[in-house]
Amino acid sequence: MSGLALAQPLVFGTGTNAAGTRVGAAGADLHYNLGAGAANVVTQNFPPVAFPIGPWINPNTAGVNSNWVSVTTNGANNLAPGTYTFTTTFNLTGYIIGAINLTGRWATDNSGTMLLNGNLISTSSSFTAFTTFNTSTAAFFNPGLNTLTFNVVNAGSTGNPMGLLVDNPLLTGVTKVPEIDPASAATPLVFLGIALALVVDRRRRLCCAPPH
């Protein structure tokens, strides 16, 4: 008997909806959170209207399928210097993790580190060009829930814009854990049961046989 088919596990880019489609300015990002237990972050306003949004990668560029996220819908707003931590999750329950590969690209204002379940997999230091990421280290993946953490450092001594852009993340090499047919699994048990019954019956006969 086969179980329900498992859907391909998904990793979502920033500023996307439930279908993974980029949302417009000031729309709700459904997949990334800011800080522990924080509410959903919001997408960045585009087209750009003020510095330094101009130098940022424009999400309307061909091939870009995500949007910038920040703690404000106006990227020109000044945010306090420091580290802003964004997280997103994906689930590998029911999949073999030995051959999985995670790829994609990202950009930050100003710099950032990207971790998979606490393991560093990429660093970024640009908001004008993408940095690619790629990891297939099996030990970095969990067989259940997996967490991607993005620590974005807003540099400077005074307030300035901050943002995160994660684009086209993809899991490849994904294989489902083989299903076990209950009928096939039961067959060895049947033979084992028969063998045990024969052993018990033989011992009983030897034990209870009348003396010659």
Side-chain angles (χ1 to χ4, degrees), residues 48 67 97 159-160 167:
N67 206 342
I97 64 175
N160 63 97
D167 191 52

Side-chain angles (χ1 to χ4, degrees), residues 9 11 38 77 114 125 145 194 212:
V11 185
N77 288 346
M114 177 181 180
S125 59
L145 191 66
I194 293 174
H212 295 289

Side-chain angles (χ1 to χ4, degrees), residues 12-201:
F12 292 93
T14 50
T16 60
N17 59 21
T21 303
R22 185 179 69 232
V23 296
D29 178 285
L30 300 182
H31 310 290
Y32 285 72
N33 289 316
L34 178 67
N40 286 334
V41 296
V42 292
T43 61
Q44 185 53 61
N45 273 336
F46 275 92
V49 293
F51 179 84
I53 305 307
W56 283 11
I57 296 171
N58 191 329
N60 295 316
T61 304
V64 179
N65 298 299
S66 57
N67 206 342
W68 287 89
V69 290
S70 185
V71 297
T72 172
T73 56
N74 184 356
N77 288 346
N78 291 330
L79 299 174
T83 300
Y84 295 78
T85 299
F86 298 83
T87 60
T88 188
T89 60
F90 59 94
N91 200 320
L92 294 178
T93 299
Y95 295 92
I96 300 172
I97 64 175
I100 292 179
N101 192 37
L102 172 65
T103 60
R105 56 186 185 173
W106 67 310
T108 53
D109 185 355
N110 295 99
S111 63
T113 57
M114 177 181 180
L115 299 94
L116 172 59
N117 298 318
N119 301 287
L120 180 66
I121 61 174
S122 181
T123 59
S124 169
S125 59
S126 176
F127 48 79
T128 61
F130 280 113
T131 297
T132 59
F133 57 85
N134 185 330
T135 184
S136 58
T137 304
F140 290 178
F141 293 91
N142 291 330
L145 191 66
N146 292 259
T147 301
L148 284 170
T149 303
F150 302 84
N151 296 311
V152 179
V153 177
N154 195 27
S157 57
T158 60
N160 63 97
M162 179 278 302
L164 169 68
L165 179 63
V166 181
D167 191 52
N168 294 330
L170 179 66
L171 289 167
T172 57
V174 179
T175 304
K176 299 174 185 176
V177 175
E179 295 182 350
I180 299 176
D181 185 348
S184 299
T187 300
L189 295 178
V190 171
F191 284 113
L192 178 60
I194 293 174
L196 289 174
L198 291 174
V199 170
V200 171
D201 181 68

